[in-house]
Amino acid sequence: MSKSNAVMNGRTFLAKLDDEEKIIKLRADGYNKLLQTDDSRLTEDVRTDINAVIGEVNLLLKGKLKQFRGLCERNVNKSPGGEPIPLDTDLEGFWDITFPLIDKVKEKFSKLDVRKTKQWAIIEEYDPNDVNNRPRIIDDRLKQLQPQQNKSKIPVTKPANDHLKKLIQEKRKAAANTANHDIEIFVAQK
C-alpha cells in the first residue's frame, strides 16, 4: 500500500481514510436497512452474521480509524499539544496495520453479498492455504505411496533370535524338571 515512491503524508492518508470509511459506512448502512425489512428469508443466524459485520465496522470506525484520523490531523496541523507530532513514516506504519482491518471488513461484506444472491444459504468456505482444511483426495497413485500394513498377526523373526529363543525354552524346561535353580544368562552369538 504505502511502498510507492510518492511521499505519503497526513493529507494523503486523510483522503484515503475518507474514501475507505465512506465505502464501509455505505455497506453497513445498506445491510442495516435490510435488517429493518420483514424479509422472511433473514433467519436469526443471518441477522446475527449481518449484525456482527456491522458491529465490526462500528468498532473499527470508533477505534483504529478514529485514532488514525487523529494522528493524520496532528501530522497536518503540526500542533504539538503536548504529544509528539507523528512523522509520515509513522503514518505509513499505522496504515499498514490498519488497512488490513478495513480490507477484512470489506471481504466480510462481499461474503454477505454472495450469501444474499444465494437466498442466504450458508456457503461452505474453503481456504486452499489451510493445510487442515484441504479435502483429502486419495487416488490410486497416492495409495501406492502409502506404506502397506502387515495384515498377518505372526511377527517376522530373524534366524539369530530363533536360535536364542529355542535355547531359552530348552533351559526353562530343564530348570522346571530339576530342583537346581541356578541363574544363567544367555547372549546371542554374533
Side-chain angles (χ1 to χ4, degrees), residues 95-171:
W95 181 252
D96 287 344
I97 293 169
T98 305
F99 185 75
L101 301 174
I102 297 168
D103 211 27
K104 187 176 178 183
V105 165
K106 290 178 3 184
E107 186 179 313
K108 288 181 180 183
F109 276 125
S110 295
K111 288 179 182 178
L112 285 175
D113 291 343
V114 171
R115 284 187 69 188
K116 184 178 178 185
T117 61
K118 297 188 181 218
Q119 307 299 318
W120 299 108
I122 295 175
I123 298 170
E124 292 288 328
E125 293 186 32
Y126 167 69
D127 182 1
N129 297 321
D130 185 0
V131 177
N132 296 321
N133 197 22
R134 289 188 193 158
R136 296 204 169 246
I137 301 171
I138 299 178
D139 62 9
D140 292 334
R141 293 172 296 175
L142 287 176
K143 286 180 183 176
Q144 290 173 359
L145 295 175
Q146 292 177 340
Q148 297 295 322
Q149 294 179 352
N150 187 359
K151 294 181 181 174
S152 68
K153 299 287 182 183
I154 304 169
V156 179
T157 58
K158 296 181 181 177
N161 286 344
D162 288 341
H163 175 69
L164 184 59
K165 284 181 182 178
K166 285 181 184 177
L167 186 61
I168 291 172
Q169 285 176 347
E170 289 174 6
K171 292 296 180 174

Coordinates of all heavy atoms in Angstrom, one line a residue, residues 95-171:
W95 N -0.9 2.9 8.9 CA -1.8 2.5 7.8 C -1.6 1.0 7.4 O -2.5 0.3 7.1 CB -1.5 3.4 6.6 CG -2.4 3.1 5.4 CD1 -2.1 2.5 4.3 CD2 -3.8 3.3 5.3 NE1 -3.1 2.3 3.4 CE2 -4.2 2.9 4.1 CE3 -4.7 3.9 6.2 CZ2 -5.6 3.0 3.6 CZ3 -6.0 4.0 5.7 CH2 -6.4 3.6 4.5
D96 N -0.3 0.6 7.4 CA 0.0 -0.8 7.1 C -0.7 -1.8 8.1 O -1.0 -2.9 7.7 CB 1.5 -1.1 7.0 CG 2.1 -0.5 5.8 OD1 1.4 -0.1 4.8 OD2 3.4 -0.3 5.8
I97 N -0.9 -1.3 9.3 CA -1.6 -2.1 10.3 C -3.1 -2.0 10.2 O -3.8 -3.0 10.4 CB -1.1 -1.7 11.7 CG1 0.3 -2.0 11.9 CG2 -2.0 -2.4 12.8 CD1 0.9 -1.4 13.2
T98 N -3.6 -0.8 9.8 CA -5.0 -0.5 9.8 C -5.7 -1.0 8.5 O -6.8 -1.5 8.6 CB -5.2 1.0 10.0 OG1 -4.5 1.4 11.2 CG2 -6.7 1.3 10.1
F99 N -5.0 -0.8 7.4 CA -5.7 -1.2 6.1 C -6.2 -2.6 6.1 O -7.3 -2.9 5.6 CB -4.9 -0.8 4.9 CG -5.6 -1.1 3.6 CD1 -6.6 -0.2 3.2 CD2 -5.3 -2.2 2.9 CE1 -7.3 -0.4 2.1 CE2 -6.0 -2.4 1.7 CZ -7.0 -1.5 1.3
P100 N -5.4 -3.6 6.5 CA -5.9 -5.0 6.5 C -7.2 -5.2 7.3 O -8.0 -6.0 6.9 CB -4.7 -5.8 7.1 CG -3.5 -5.0 6.8 CD -3.9 -3.6 6.9
L101 N -7.4 -4.4 8.3 CA -8.6 -4.5 9.1 C -9.8 -4.0 8.2 O -10.9 -4.5 8.3 CB -8.5 -3.6 10.4 CG -7.4 -4.0 11.4 CD1 -7.3 -3.0 12.5 CD2 -7.7 -5.4 11.9
I102 N -9.6 -2.9 7.5 CA -10.6 -2.4 6.6 C -10.9 -3.4 5.5 O -12.0 -3.7 5.2 CB -10.1 -1.0 5.9 CG1 -9.9 0.0 7.0 CG2 -11.1 -0.6 4.9 CD1 -9.2 1.3 6.5
D103 N -9.8 -4.0 4.9 CA -9.9 -4.9 3.9 C -10.7 -6.2 4.4 O -11.5 -6.7 3.6 CB -8.5 -5.3 3.4 CG -8.5 -5.7 2.0 OD1 -9.3 -5.2 1.2 OD2 -7.6 -6.5 1.6
K104 N -10.5 -6.6 5.6 CA -11.1 -7.8 6.2 C -12.6 -7.5 6.3 O -13.4 -8.4 6.0 CB -10.5 -8.1 7.5 CG -11.0 -9.3 8.2 CD -10.3 -9.6 9.5 CE -10.7 -10.8 10.2 NZ -10.1 -11.0 11.5
V105 N -13.0 -6.3 6.7 CA -14.4 -6.0 6.8 C -15.1 -6.0 5.4 O -16.2 -6.5 5.2 CB -14.6 -4.6 7.5 CG1 -16.0 -4.0 7.3 CG2 -14.3 -4.7 9.0
K106 N -14.4 -5.4 4.4 CA -14.9 -5.4 3.1 C -15.1 -6.8 2.5 O -16.0 -7.1 1.8 CB -14.0 -4.5 2.2 CG -14.1 -3.0 2.5 CD -13.3 -2.0 1.8 CE -12.4 -2.3 0.7 NZ -11.6 -1.2 0.2
E107 N -14.2 -7.7 2.9 CA -14.3 -9.1 2.5 C -15.5 -9.7 3.1 O -16.2 -10.5 2.4 CB -13.0 -9.8 2.9 CG -12.9 -11.2 2.4 CD -11.6 -11.9 2.8 OE1 -10.5 -11.2 2.6 OE2 -11.6 -13.0 3.3
K108 N -15.7 -9.4 4.4 CA -16.9 -10.0 5.0 C -18.2 -9.5 4.4 O -19.2 -10.2 4.2 CB -16.9 -9.6 6.5 CG -15.8 -10.4 7.3 CD -15.8 -10.1 8.7 CE -14.8 -10.9 9.4 NZ -14.8 -10.7 10.9
F109 N -18.2 -8.2 3.9 CA -19.4 -7.7 3.2 C -19.5 -8.5 1.9 O -20.7 -8.8 1.5 CB -19.3 -6.2 3.0 CG -19.7 -5.4 4.1 CD1 -18.9 -4.4 4.7 CD2 -21.0 -5.5 4.7 CE1 -19.3 -3.6 5.7 CE2 -21.4 -4.7 5.7 CZ -20.6 -3.8 6.3
S110 N -18.5 -8.7 1.2 CA -18.5 -9.5 0.0 C -19.1 -10.9 0.2 O -19.9 -11.4 -0.6 CB -17.1 -9.6 -0.7 OG -16.7 -8.3 -1.0
K111 N -18.7 -11.5 1.3 CA -19.3 -12.8 1.6 C -20.8 -12.7 1.9 O -21.6 -13.6 1.5 CB -18.5 -13.5 2.8 CG -17.1 -13.9 2.4 CD -16.4 -14.5 3.6 CE -15.0 -14.9 3.3 NZ -14.3 -15.4 4.4
L112 N -21.2 -11.7 2.6 CA -22.6 -11.5 2.8 C -23.3 -11.2 1.4 O -24.5 -11.7 1.2 CB -22.9 -10.3 3.7 CG -22.6 -10.4 5.2 CD1 -22.8 -9.1 5.9 CD2 -23.5 -11.5 5.8
D113 N -22.7 -10.5 0.5 CA -23.3 -10.3 -0.8 C -23.5 -11.6 -1.5 O -24.6 -11.8 -2.1 CB -22.4 -9.4 -1.7 CG -22.3 -8.0 -1.2 OD1 -23.2 -7.6 -0.4 OD2 -21.4 -7.3 -1.6
V114 N -22.5 -12.5 -1.4 CA -22.7 -13.8 -2.1 C -23.8 -14.6 -1.5 O -24.6 -15.2 -2.2 CB -21.3 -14.6 -2.0 CG1 -21.5 -16.1 -2.5 CG2 -20.3 -13.9 -2.8
R115 N -23.9 -14.6 -0.1 CA -25.0 -15.3 0.5 C -26.3 -14.7 0.1 O -27.3 -15.4 0.0 CB -24.8 -15.2 2.0 CG -23.8 -16.2 2.6 CD -23.7 -16.3 4.0 NE -24.9 -16.9 4.6 CZ -25.2 -16.9 5.9 NH1 -24.4 -16.4 6.7 NH2 -26.3 -17.5 6.3
K116 N -26.4 -13.4 0.0 CA -27.6 -12.7 -0.4 C -28.1 -13.2 -1.7 O -29.3 -13.4 -2.0 CB -27.4 -11.2 -0.3 CG -28.7 -10.4 -0.6 CD -28.3 -8.9 -0.5 CE -29.5 -8.1 -0.8 NZ -29.2 -6.6 -0.8
T117 N -27.2 -13.3 -2.7 CA -27.5 -13.7 -4.0 C -27.9 -15.2 -4.0 O -28.6 -15.6 -4.9 CB -26.4 -13.6 -5.0 OG1 -25.2 -14.3 -4.6 CG2 -26.0 -12.1 -5.2
K118 N -27.5 -15.9 -3.1 CA -27.9 -17.4 -3.0 C -29.0 -17.6 -1.9 O -29.1 -18.6 -1.3 CB -26.7 -18.2 -2.6 CG -25.6 -18.1 -3.7 CD -24.5 -19.1 -3.5 CE -23.5 -18.9 -4.6 NZ -22.9 -20.1 -5.1
Q119 N -29.9 -16.6 -1.8 CA -31.0 -16.6 -0.9 C -30.6 -17.0 0.5 O -31.3 -17.7 1.2 CB -32.0 -17.7 -1.4 CG -32.5 -17.5 -2.8 CD -33.2 -16.2 -3.1 OE1 -34.0 -15.7 -2.3 NE2 -32.8 -15.5 -4.1
W120 N -29.5 -16.4 1.0 CA -28.9 -16.5 2.3 C -28.5 -17.9 2.7 O -28.5 -18.3 3.9 CB -29.9 -15.9 3.3 CG -30.2 -14.5 3.1 CD1 -31.3 -14.0 2.6 CD2 -29.2 -13.4 3.3 NE1 -31.1 -12.6 2.5 CE2 -29.9 -12.2 2.9 CE3 -27.9 -13.3 3.7 CZ2 -29.3 -11.0 2.9 CZ3 -27.3 -12.1 3.7 CH2 -28.0 -11.0 3.3
A121 N -28.3 -18.8 1.8 CA -27.8 -20.1 2.1 C -26.4 -20.0 2.7 O -25.6 -19.2 2.3 CB -27.8 -21.0 0.8
I122 N -26.1 -21.0 3.6 CA -24.8 -21.0 4.2 C -23.8 -21.5 3.1 O -24.1 -22.4 2.4 CB -24.8 -21.9 5.4 CG1 -25.7 -21.4 6.5 CG2 -23.3 -22.1 5.9 CD1 -25.8 -22.3 7.7
I123 N -22.7 -20.8 3.0 CA -21.7 -21.1 2.0 C -20.5 -21.8 2.7 O -20.0 -21.2 3.6 CB -21.3 -19.8 1.2 CG1 -22.5 -19.2 0.5 CG2 -20.2 -20.1 0.3 CD1 -22.2 -17.9 0.0
E124 N -20.2 -22.9 2.2 CA -19.0 -23.6 2.7 C -17.8 -22.9 2.2 O -17.6 -22.6 1.1 CB -19.0 -25.1 2.1 CG -20.1 -26.0 2.7 CD -19.9 -26.3 4.1 OE1 -18.7 -26.5 4.6 OE2 -20.9 -26.5 4.8
E125 N -17.0 -22.6 3.2 CA -15.7 -21.8 2.9 C -14.6 -22.8 2.8 O -14.5 -23.7 3.6 CB -15.4 -20.8 3.9 CG -16.5 -19.7 3.9 CD -16.1 -18.5 4.9 OE1 -14.9 -18.3 5.1 OE2 -17.0 -17.9 5.4
Y126 N -13.8 -22.6 1.8 CA -12.6 -23.5 1.6 C -11.4 -22.6 1.4 O -11.3 -21.7 0.5 CB -12.8 -24.3 0.3 CG -11.5 -25.0 -0.1 CD1 -11.0 -26.0 0.6 CD2 -10.9 -24.7 -1.3 CE1 -9.8 -26.7 0.2 CE2 -9.8 -25.3 -1.7 CZ -9.2 -26.3 -1.0 OH -8.1 -26.9 -1.4
D127 N -10.4 -22.7 2.3 CA -9.2 -21.9 2.2 C -8.1 -22.9 1.7 O -7.6 -23.8 2.4 CB -8.8 -21.4 3.6 CG -7.6 -20.5 3.5 OD1 -7.0 -20.4 2.4 OD2 -7.2 -20.1 4.6
P128 N -7.6 -22.7 0.4 CA -6.6 -23.6 -0.2 C -5.3 -23.5 0.6 O -4.5 -24.4 0.4 CB -6.5 -23.1 -1.6 CG -7.0 -21.7 -1.6 CD -8.0 -21.6 -0.5
N129 N -5.1 -22.4 1.3 CA -3.8 -22.3 2.1 C -3.8 -23.0 3.4 O -2.8 -23.1 4.1 CB -3.4 -20.8 2.2 CG -3.2 -20.2 0.9 OD1 -2.6 -20.8 0.0 ND2 -3.7 -18.9 0.8
D130 N -5.0 -23.4 3.9 CA -5.1 -24.0 5.2 C -4.9 -25.5 5.0 O -5.8 -26.2 4.5 CB -6.5 -23.7 5.8 CG -6.7 -24.3 7.2 OD1 -5.7 -24.9 7.7 OD2 -7.8 -24.1 7.8
V131 N -3.8 -26.0 5.5 CA -3.5 -27.4 5.3 C -4.5 -28.3 6.0 O -4.9 -29.4 5.5 CB -2.1 -27.7 5.9 CG1 -1.7 -29.2 5.8 CG2 -1.0 -26.9 5.2
N132 N -5.1 -27.9 7.1 CA -6.0 -28.7 7.8 C -7.4 -28.7 7.2 O -8.2 -29.5 7.6 CB -6.1 -28.3 9.3 CG -4.8 -28.4 10.0 OD1 -4.1 -29.4 9.8 ND2 -4.4 -27.5 10.8
N133 N -7.7 -27.8 6.3 CA -9.0 -27.6 5.7 C -9.1 -28.2 4.3 O -10.1 -28.0 3.6 CB -9.4 -26.2 5.8 CG -10.9 -26.0 5.6 OD1 -11.6 -26.9 5.8 ND2 -11.3 -24.8 5.2
R134 N -8.0 -28.8 3.8 CA -8.0 -29.2 2.4 C -8.7 -30.6 2.3 O -8.6 -31.4 3.2 CB -6.6 -29.5 1.9 CG -5.8 -28.2 1.7 CD -4.5 -28.5 1.1 NE -3.7 -27.3 1.2 CZ -2.4 -27.3 1.1 NH1 -1.7 -28.5 0.9 NH2 -1.7 -26.2 1.2
P135 N -9.5 -30.7 1.3 CA -10.2 -32.0 1.1 C -9.1 -33.1 0.8 O -8.2 -32.8 0.1 CB -11.1 -31.8 -0.1 CG -10.6 -30.6 -0.8 CD -9.8 -29.8 0.2
R136 N -9.4 -34.2 1.3 CA -8.4 -35.3 1.1 C -8.9 -36.2 -0.1 O -9.9 -36.8 0.0 CB -8.3 -36.2 2.3 CG -7.7 -35.4 3.5 CD -7.1 -36.4 4.5 NE -6.3 -35.6 5.4 CZ -5.0 -35.6 5.5 NH1 -4.3 -36.4 4.7 NH2 -4.4 -34.9 6.4
I137 N -8.1 -36.2 -1.1 CA -8.4 -37.0 -2.3 C -7.3 -38.0 -2.4 O -6.1 -37.6 -2.6 CB -8.4 -36.1 -3.5 CG1 -9.5 -35.0 -3.4 CG2 -8.7 -36.9 -4.8 CD1 -9.5 -33.9 -4.5
I138 N -7.7 -39.2 -2.3 CA -6.7 -40.3 -2.4 C -7.0 -41.1 -3.6 O -8.0 -41.8 -3.7 CB -6.7 -41.2 -1.1 CG1 -6.3 -40.4 0.1 CG2 -5.7 -42.4 -1.3 CD1 -6.3 -41.1 1.4
D139 N -6.2 -41.0 -4.6 CA -6.4 -41.8 -5.8 C -5.4 -42.9 -5.8 O -4.6 -43.1 -4.9 CB -6.3 -40.9 -7.1 CG -4.9 -40.3 -7.2 OD1 -4.0 -40.6 -6.5 OD2 -4.8 -39.4 -8.1
D140 N -5.4 -43.7 -6.9 CA -4.5 -44.9 -6.9 C -3.0 -44.6 -6.8 O -2.3 -45.3 -6.2 CB -4.7 -45.6 -8.3 CG -6.1 -46.2 -8.3 OD1 -6.7 -46.5 -7.2 OD2 -6.7 -46.4 -9.4
R141 N -2.6 -43.4 -7.3 CA -1.2 -43.1 -7.2 C -0.8 -42.8 -5.8 O 0.3 -43.2 -5.3 CB -0.9 -41.8 -8.0 CG -1.0 -42.0 -9.5 CD -0.9 -40.8 -10.3 NE -2.0 -39.9 -9.9 CZ -2.2 -38.7 -10.2 NH1 -1.4 -38.1 -11.0 NH2 -3.3 -38.0 -9.8
L142 N -1.7 -42.2 -5.0 CA -1.4 -41.9 -3.6 C -1.4 -43.2 -2.8 O -0.7 -43.4 -1.8 CB -2.3 -40.9 -3.0 CG -2.1 -39.4 -3.5 CD1 -3.1 -38.5 -2.9 CD2 -0.7 -38.9 -3.0
K143 N -2.3 -44.1 -3.1 CA -2.4 -45.3 -2.4 C -1.2 -46.1 -2.5 O -0.7 -46.8 -1.6 CB -3.6 -46.1 -2.9 CG -5.0 -45.6 -2.4 CD -6.1 -46.4 -2.9 CE -7.4 -45.8 -2.5 NZ -8.6 -46.5 -3.0
Q144 N -0.5 -46.0 -3.7 CA 0.7 -46.8 -3.9 C 1.8 -46.2 -3.1 O 2.7 -47.0 -2.7 CB 1.1 -46.7 -5.4 CG 0.2 -47.5 -6.3 CD 0.5 -47.2 -7.8 OE1 1.4 -46.4 -8.1 NE2 -0.2 -47.9 -8.7
L145 N 1.8 -44.9 -2.8 CA 2.8 -44.3 -2.0 C 2.6 -44.6 -0.5 O 3.6 -44.5 0.3 CB 2.8 -42.8 -2.2 CG 3.2 -42.3 -3.6 CD1 3.1 -40.8 -3.7 CD2 4.6 -42.7 -3.9
Q146 N 1.4 -44.9 -0.1 CA 1.2 -45.2 1.4 C 1.8 -46.5 1.7 O 1.7 -47.5 1.0 CB -0.3 -45.2 1.7 CG -0.9 -43.9 1.5 CD -2.4 -43.9 1.7 OE1 -3.1 -45.0 1.6 NE2 -3.0 -42.8 2.0
P147 N 2.4 -46.6 2.9 CA 3.0 -47.9 3.4 C 2.0 -49.0 3.5 O 0.9 -48.7 4.0 CB 3.7 -47.5 4.7 CG 3.0 -46.3 5.2 CD 2.5 -45.6 4.0
Q148 N 2.3 -50.2 3.1 CA 1.4 -51.3 3.2 C 1.5 -51.8 4.6 O 2.6 -52.1 5.1 CB 1.7 -52.4 2.2 CG 1.6 -51.9 0.8 CD 0.1 -51.6 0.4 OE1 -0.8 -52.3 0.9 NE2 -0.1 -50.6 -0.3
Q149 N 0.4 -52.1 5.3 CA 0.4 -52.6 6.6 C 0.5 -54.1 6.5 O -0.2 -54.7 5.7 CB -0.8 -52.2 7.4 CG -0.9 -50.7 7.6 CD -2.1 -50.3 8.4 OE1 -3.0 -51.1 8.6 NE2 -2.2 -49.0 8.8
N150 N 1.2 -54.7 7.4 CA 1.3 -56.2 7.5 C 0.0 -56.7 8.2 O -0.2 -56.4 9.4 CB 2.5 -56.6 8.3 CG 2.8 -58.1 8.3 OD1 2.0 -58.8 7.7 ND2 3.8 -58.5 9.0
K151 N -0.8 -57.4 7.4 CA -2.1 -57.8 7.9 C -2.0 -59.1 8.8 O -2.9 -59.4 9.5 CB -3.1 -58.0 6.8 CG -3.3 -56.7 6.1 CD -4.3 -56.8 5.0 CE -4.5 -55.4 4.4 NZ -5.3 -55.5 3.2
S152 N -0.9 -59.8 8.7 CA -0.8 -61.0 9.5 C -0.4 -60.7 10.9 O 0.3 -59.7 11.2 CB 0.2 -62.0 8.9 OG 1.5 -61.4 9.0
K153 N -0.9 -61.5 11.8 CA -0.6 -61.3 13.2 C 0.7 -62.0 13.7 O 1.1 -61.8 14.8 CB -1.7 -61.8 14.1 CG -3.1 -61.2 13.8 CD -3.1 -59.8 14.4 CE -4.4 -59.1 14.1 NZ -4.5 -57.8 14.6
I154 N 1.3 -62.8 12.8 CA 2.5 -63.5 13.1 C 3.7 -62.6 12.9 O 3.9 -62.1 11.8 CB 2.6 -64.8 12.3 CG1 1.4 -65.6 12.4 CG2 3.9 -65.5 12.6 CD1 1.3 -66.8 11.4
P155 N 4.5 -62.3 14.0 CA 5.6 -61.5 13.8 C 6.7 -62.2 13.0 O 6.9 -63.4 13.1 CB 6.1 -61.2 15.2 CG 5.5 -62.3 16.0 CD 4.3 -62.8 15.3
V156 N 7.4 -61.4 12.2 CA 8.6 -62.0 11.5 C 9.8 -61.9 12.3 O 10.1 -60.8 12.9 CB 8.7 -61.2 10.2 CG1 9.9 -61.7 9.4 CG2 7.5 -61.2 9.3
T157 N 10.5 -63.0 12.5 CA 11.7 -63.0 13.4 C 12.9 -63.3 12.5 O 12.9 -63.9 11.5 CB 11.6 -64.1 14.5 OG1 11.4 -65.3 13.8 CG2 10.4 -63.8 15.4
K158 N 14.1 -62.9 13.1 CA 15.3 -63.2 12.5 C 15.9 -64.5 12.9 O 15.6 -65.0 14.0 CB 16.3 -62.1 12.9 CG 15.9 -60.7 12.4 CD 16.9 -59.7 12.8 CE 16.5 -58.3 12.4 NZ 17.4 -57.3 12.8
P159 N 16.7 -65.2 12.1 CA 17.2 -66.5 12.4 C 18.0 -66.5 13.8 O 17.9 -67.5 14.5 CB 18.1 -66.9 11.3 CG 17.6 -66.0 10.1 CD 17.1 -64.8 10.7
A160 N 18.8 -65.5 14.1 CA 19.6 -65.4 15.3 C 18.6 -65.4 16.5 O 18.9 -66.1 17.5 CB 20.5 -64.2 15.3
N161 N 17.5 -64.7 16.4 CA 16.6 -64.6 17.5 C 15.9 -66.0 17.7 O 15.6 -66.4 18.8 CB 15.5 -63.6 17.3 CG 16.1 -62.2 17.5 OD1 17.1 -62.0 18.1 ND2 15.3 -61.2 17.0
D162 N 15.6 -66.7 16.6 CA 15.0 -68.0 16.7 C 15.9 -69.0 17.5 O 15.4 -69.7 18.3 CB 14.8 -68.6 15.3 CG 13.6 -67.9 14.6 OD1 12.8 -67.2 15.3 OD2 13.5 -68.0 13.4
H163 N 17.2 -69.0 17.2 CA 18.2 -69.8 17.9 C 18.2 -69.5 19.4 O 18.2 -70.4 20.2 CB 19.6 -69.7 17.3 CG 20.6 -70.4 18.0 ND1 20.7 -71.8 18.0 CD2 21.6 -70.0 18.8 CE1 21.7 -72.2 18.8 NE2 22.3 -71.1 19.3
L164 N 18.2 -68.2 19.7 CA 18.2 -67.8 21.1 C 16.9 -68.2 21.8 O 17.0 -68.7 23.0 CB 18.4 -66.3 21.2 CG 18.6 -65.7 22.6 CD1 19.8 -66.3 23.3 CD2 18.8 -64.2 22.5
K165 N 15.8 -68.0 21.2 CA 14.5 -68.4 21.8 C 14.5 -69.9 22.1 O 14.0 -70.3 23.1 CB 13.4 -68.0 20.9 CG 13.1 -66.5 20.9 CD 11.9 -66.2 20.0 CE 11.6 -64.7 19.9 NZ 10.5 -64.4 19.0
K166 N 15.0 -70.7 21.1 CA 15.0 -72.2 21.4 C 15.8 -72.5 22.5 O 15.5 -73.4 23.4 CB 15.5 -72.9 20.1 CG 14.4 -72.9 19.0 CD 15.0 -73.7 17.8 CE 14.0 -73.6 16.6 NZ 14.6 -74.3 15.4
L167 N 17.0 -71.9 22.6 CA 17.9 -72.1 23.7 C 17.3 -71.8 25.1 O 17.4 -72.5 26.0 CB 19.2 -71.4 23.5 CG 20.4 -71.6 24.5 CD1 20.8 -73.1 24.4 CD2 21.5 -70.7 24.1
I168 N 16.6 -70.7 25.1 CA 16.0 -70.2 26.4 C 14.9 -71.2 26.7 O 14.7 -71.6 27.9 CB 15.4 -68.8 26.2 CG1 16.6 -67.8 26.1 CG2 14.5 -68.4 27.4 CD1 16.2 -66.4 25.8
Q169 N 14.0 -71.6 25.8 CA 13.0 -72.6 26.1 C 13.5 -73.9 26.6 O 13.0 -74.5 27.5 CB 12.1 -72.8 24.8 CG 11.2 -71.7 24.4 CD 10.5 -71.9 23.1 OE1 10.8 -72.8 22.4 NE2 9.5 -71.1 22.9
E170 N 14.6 -74.4 26.0 CA 15.2 -75.6 26.5 C 15.7 -75.5 27.9 O 15.5 -76.4 28.7 CB 16.4 -76.0 25.5 CG 15.9 -76.5 24.2 CD 17.1 -76.7 23.2 OE1 18.3 -76.7 23.7 OE2 16.8 -77.0 22.1
K171 N 16.3 -74.4 28.2 CA 16.9 -74.2 29.6 C 15.7 -74.1 30.6 O 15.8 -74.5 31.7 CB 17.7 -72.9 29.6 CG 19.0 -73.1 28.9 CD 19.9 -74.1 29.5 CE 21.2 -74.3 28.8 NZ 22.1 -75.2 29.4

